[in-house]
Amino acid sequence: MESQPPIQSQGVFRTLHLLEVADRLREKGAGLRSLCEPWADTTVPYGQMILGVFAGIAEFERALSRNLTETGRKRAKERGVHLGRPAKLNAEQIATIQKLVRDENLSISEVAARFGVHKATIYRAVTNNK
């Protein structure tokens, strides 16, 4: 099942899709003409202008969304909020894993099975936390 973008961004994606379709049609020498909306007609100059306005609005919405997202991330980091996935292993588990791999010569696969994580998690624990 495909996830839906948030409500405020759905309009942006619809506008972007419309602009992409209009560009593909224009490249093939055709235009876009709506049967229900007389202003949506890229075969005439005013329709091309309207589509240009839509393109500007879509770009503005994308920039605004990027800005709001970045501002929210910065504020969250300032408050000490952890961004991203939660850690699978705590510091004590990492120390144990390093001991098992380095000192007791257990294989990465054995350690991963013991801790219930993927082998890549064990590799990261052994190489990144020396």
Side-chain angles (χ1 to χ4, degrees):
M1 184 172 158
E2 192 175 329
S3 66
Q4 289 289 329
I7 297 293
Q8 69 270 19
S9 68
Q10 286 181 358
V12 173
F13 291 114
R14 289 183 189 134
T15 304
L16 289 173
H17 181 69
L18 174 66
L19 294 171
E20 288 171 8
V21 169
D23 278 344
R24 280 191 234 129
L25 289 172
R26 190 184 78 255
E27 288 170 0
K28 301 211 182 278
L32 177 68
R33 180 184 285 172
S34 171
L35 299 175
C36 300
E37 303 292 342
W39 54 264
D41 182 359
T42 63
T43 63
V44 294
Y46 69 84
Q48 292 171 354
M49 184 212 50
I50 295 290
L51 214 53
V53 170
F54 280 170
I57 291 170
E59 181 59 35
F60 170 74
E61 288 177 334
R62 280 193 305 270
L64 184 61
S65 178
R66 276 193 304 267
N67 184 292
L68 290 173
T69 300
E70 187 59 32
T71 300
R73 284 174 165 239
K74 284 179 183 175
R75 287 183 182 165
K77 279 190 157 197
E78 288 170 1
R79 291 192 320 267
V81 174
H82 172 74
L83 301 175
R85 294 182 64 163
K88 289 281 188 181
L89 304 168
N90 60 38
E92 185 179 314
Q93 290 171 315
I94 290 171
T96 302
I97 287 167
Q98 289 173 342
K99 185 175 187 290
L100 291 172
V101 172
R102 292 188 180 138
D103 300 340
E104 298 182 23
N105 294 322
L106 284 178
S107 73
I108 297 292
S109 295
E110 290 172 317
V111 176
R114 187 179 288 189
F115 282 84
V117 296
H118 193 272
K119 291 187 297 186
T121 304
I122 302 302
Y123 279 113
R124 278 192 301 275
V126 172
T127 59
N128 293 343
N129 297 294
K130 296 180 181 182

